[in-house]
Amino acid sequence: MRYGYFDDDRREYVITRPDTPLPWINYLGSEDYFGIISNTAGGYSFYRDARLRRLTRYRYNNAPLDLGGRYLYLRDDETGEFWSPSWQPTGGALDAYECRHGMGYTTIASLRAGIRAETTYVVPLGETLEVWRTRLTNERAEAASLSLFGTIEWCLWDANDDATNFQRNWSIGEVLVEDGVIYHTTEYRERRDHFGFFACSGPSAGFDTSRDAFLGAYRGWDRPLAVERGATTGSVAHGWQPIGAHQVRVRLQPGETREVVFVLGYGENPREAKFHPPGSGHLDTRRVRPVIRRYLDGTVVEEALVALRRRWDEQLGSLQVATGNEHLDRMVNTWNAYQNMVTFNLSRSASLFESGVGRGMGFRDSNQDLLGFVHMVPERARQRILDIAGTQLATGGAWHQYQPLTKRGNDAVGSGFNDDPAWLVLAVDAYLRETGELAILDEPVPYDTTPGTEQPLSDHVRRALDYTVERLGPHGLPLIGRADWNDCLNLNCFSDTPGESFQTTQNREGGVAESVFIAGLFVLAANAWAAIEERRGETAAAARYRSAATDMVAAVERHGWDGAWFRRAYDFFGEPVGSAANDEGQIFIEPQGICVLAGIGLEDGRARRALDSVRERLATPHGIVLQQPAYSGYRLNLGEISSYPPGYKENGGIFCHTNPWVMIAEALAGNAAGALDYYLRINPSAREGISDVHRCEPYVYAQMIAGPDAPTHGEAKNSWLTGTAAWNYVAATQWLVGVRPELDGLGIDPHLPDGWREVHVTRRFRGTEYRIAVHPGTGRVKRLTVDGVPVEGNVVPLPGESGTVVEVEAFREAPAEAVP
Ligand code: BGC
Ligand code: NOJ
């Protein structure tokens, strides 16, 4: 069952009924100002940090789930009938409804009682504000007298404090209303230099800033008293819950359309110039007024939308494919790339499932997100690498998270996740393969954000790898620390106390738990880095990392192989995890994927054997589960993984992040059809037809789909903010379609099943646009023509000058008999 359709030409997903199984959201903004918005206008906004600079209030885990938003109300001032043109929060019937989620904007349109309302929500490029542009059209035969209300509820900045500290917060709320603009000024008089604003193009018929006054006692957002009565009260909030509500009266002749614009935003004043007159304690609004005025003009809004569309066309234009598979093309060309941008911006902070208060930027998460983003805006990826590396510890280890606002490591979550450093190596490798800019390695970068500790970035990468080598356990495998990629495999935790964090608690010292996953990851990273060291002429270092990788492969072969698959780990006591010898959790997906990806077992048949085991034991029609058999009860020596009911999350859920590793592994092992098959099982577009089962958005990946052990097998959760996005993109573009940046040029090595038709790819790479045609046939690509000139092998050499267009034709081993 579907709830909408893809409009590929406009790059929009069109939701055609408002009662989607879950709120289906989109993101506004991709620089400093962000918002999430659901298909019924729920959501919230923030400036840079979803916790510390939250502009508007949202109630997570509410009933209904999605409460708090950019709510408009329409009221027929003749009959008193009122409704929400976005369906929620009044929930009344609509005669027509359509929500279009696009690239950085959302339009919600509806019809009721002959009044059409269409609102586009967008954050203009370069601004710290959002615009809601509403167009009202009277489709009745007679004139209509309407009131339009635009409303938001201010959050008192720190979203965590806002949701908990009522004894203080219900006394501190402050607003200022000046020239029809509502300013949110809580704490501005004292230590803050920032404020919120909410304006309306009018003509204004009044406002409210006190929630109680607007909603009325014992009422919710579903039936505000001011809307019912048709009149705001002009309230000025003191404490309690400050809001912003504007009322506009519109008289529309039959067929007439009128535009009303609301502007919501974030402003900052210099510390020494906060007040006007100086020392008065009165917010100086003079700096922000011009920008507010500008965006209250509908033509400026239209220009902003056009500029945003152009920006996205440009960004997405860096890689476009035409493979003939609509699900692959649609995800790669639009939605997967778009999701990559969102994960790059927000890491795991703010979504329907991430409350914005808990998780800043993850070290491993952000490094992986970069893999799917680097080709779109390499300069931003460059800065991100330097920021992340700047939080690295002098040991080579890492804070597990860092704060987006301060860019400092977050000691609340701690460190000691022993896979973290290796992801930095892969991010640097991806950046270098994309740009070839070896000079980044000489950039001075501090350790732990401490001035005076700067070392070249190359030193950070080396220490990241050395960190693993210096922490090996009794089997010569890397010590796992608090956890590796699988945050829930907590082998040193031993928690039996409710509420303890599995990730930061360590109740027993002296454990020697080891990770086969980190071993595979290390081999991948060390070999990639060695190639870069060779490129820099650092042959001794290169040899050192190559030999460390070789030793690690040997350790995996000796102690990481279980007979038919790779083991997962050794626990605190040195007992294997992910082995046929275990009663549950016998086989895990992660080491099968990552070890083969690192090349382990490709020559001696182990890779094939491991992948066959995956197919036999872990693959389901909805994707590949994380491990089997799922743990049926809590195990002190394994931690959080065994705390989930079977079939969910890390305990036998389909943890989608890991699936592309197996896709790539299948491709490397020569099974292109198998790789594509796995790809399509979790591809959101390919699952659109079962939206009633999948339940999350059909246009973005979710972190998890419930496994067969759960009663809800096939149901997705935790959409949007997941490493699934970047990795599926990498698998689809660099391995299936096979256009992969290499240090020496653009590699063209598709892994598509025999019989596949001609594939076209446009790829912007190091300043040149490559237009690639892969001719049908069987086997690997063996030769190319580059602007008509034959080239042996499958790497397009680097071009002489940038700004040119290069035509590439790729020929597979044996040509197809007939081109379909
Ligand atoms: C989740 C993991 C996540 C971790 C982060 C756990 O509850 O299951 O997926 O990585 O929290 O702290
Ligand atoms: C989600 C976390 O964000 C990610 O870092 C981790 O690797 C996975 N969960 C698996 O536990």
Side-chain angles (χ1 to χ4, degrees), residues 172-192:
I172 66 171
E174 288 190 279
V175 294
L176 166 72
V177 184
E178 196 179 271
D179 298 331
V181 179
I182 298 169
Y183 295 92
H184 176 222
T185 55
T186 299
E187 292 187 331
Y188 184 78
R189 279 180 303 102
E190 22 150 356
R191 292 169 297 177
R192 294 186 186 273

Side-chain angles (χ1 to χ4, degrees), residues 348 359 364-365 485-488 650 655 703:
R348 305 294 170 266
R359 310 216 277 158
R364 80 157 80 86
D365 293 332
W485 172 89
N486 189 332
D487 271 325
C488 297
E650 283 86 345
F655 215 96
Q703 179 200 64

Side-chain angles (χ1 to χ4, degrees), residues 51-203:
R51 169 165 175 184
L52 298 175
R53 293 288 185 278
R54 182 82 64 97
L55 261 110
T56 56
R57 188 174 282 155
Y58 186 76
R59 289 181 186 75
Y60 274 96
N61 217 354
N62 198 76
L65 201 51
D66 186 31
L67 191 73
R70 302 168 180 85
Y71 291 143
L72 298 176
Y73 300 86
L74 267 171
R75 179 177 190 274
D76 185 327
D77 283 339
E78 275 145 24
T79 63
E81 174 188 358
F82 67 90
W83 67 96
S84 301
S86 61
W87 189 50
Q88 291 297 319
T90 63
L94 295 170
D95 301 325
Y97 162 91
E98 184 184 88
C99 168
R100 288 178 171 264
H101 282 320
M103 305 287 99
Y105 66 90
T106 286
T107 299
I108 302 177
S110 66
L111 177 72
R112 171 156 161 174
I115 305 300
R116 188 167 294 280
E118 183 191 287
T119 307
T120 297
Y121 301 87
V122 62
V123 176
L125 291 169
E127 306 293 358
T128 63
L129 56 80
E130 65 188 69
V131 180
W132 319 347
R133 182 194 63 194
T134 298
R135 287 184 174 148
L136 299 176
T137 303
N138 180 7
E139 295 189 355
R140 299 176 184 170
E142 61 283 350
S145 293
L146 307 168
S147 277
L148 174 69
F149 299 81
T151 66
I152 49 101
E153 188 167 340
W154 299 111
C155 176
L156 306 190
W157 300 116
D158 178 338
N160 193 47
D161 190 71
D162 182 72
T164 47
N165 191 10
F166 307 113
Q167 61 80 26
R168 169 175 162 85
N169 292 340
W170 286 355
S171 289
I172 66 171
E174 288 190 279
V175 294
L176 166 72
V177 184
E178 196 179 271
D179 298 331
V181 179
I182 298 169
Y183 295 92
H184 176 222
T185 55
T186 299
E187 292 187 331
Y188 184 78
R189 279 180 303 102
E190 22 150 356
R191 292 169 297 177
R192 294 186 186 273
D193 49 15
H194 43 268
F195 54 90
F197 53 82
F198 186 46
C200 168
S201 64

Side-chain angles (χ1 to χ4, degrees), residues 31 34 46 48-51 340-350 354 356-370 380 383-385 387-388 391 398-411 413-414 420 721:
E31 294 160 328
F34 298 97
F46 55 95
R48 286 177 60 185
D49 185 314
R51 169 165 175 184
N340 290 346
M341 169 69 107
V342 172
T343 60
F344 176 82
N345 285 329
L346 297 173
S347 194
R348 305 294 170 266
S349 65
E354 300 282 7
V357 304
R359 310 216 277 158
M361 310 291 281
F363 192 95
R364 80 157 80 86
D365 293 332
S366 290
N367 278 310
Q368 289 173 86
D369 295 341
L370 191 137
R380 287 189 68 193
Q383 188 56 49
R384 175 60 54 81
I385 287 175
D387 288 347
I388 296 176
T391 70
W399 294 117
H400 195 45
Q401 289 174 17
Y402 71 100
Q403 280 296 334
L405 211 52
T406 60
K407 296 185 178 176
R408 293 191 74 89
N410 182 355
D411 55 6
V413 191
D420 271 336
L721 300 183

Side-chain angles (χ1 to χ4, degrees), residues 416-459:
F417 295 77
N418 283 348
D419 66 315
D420 271 336
W423 297 111
L424 174 65
V425 185
L426 292 187
V428 170
D429 167 59
Y431 176 78
L432 289 177
R433 283 190 290 106
E434 182 64 35
T435 64
E437 196 236 287
L438 285 170
I440 192 180
L441 297 173
D442 301 324
E443 286 279 343
V445 181
Y447 283 99
D448 197 9
T449 332
T450 309
T453 61
E454 289 79 4
Q455 289 292 327
L457 179 63
S458 55
D459 185 68

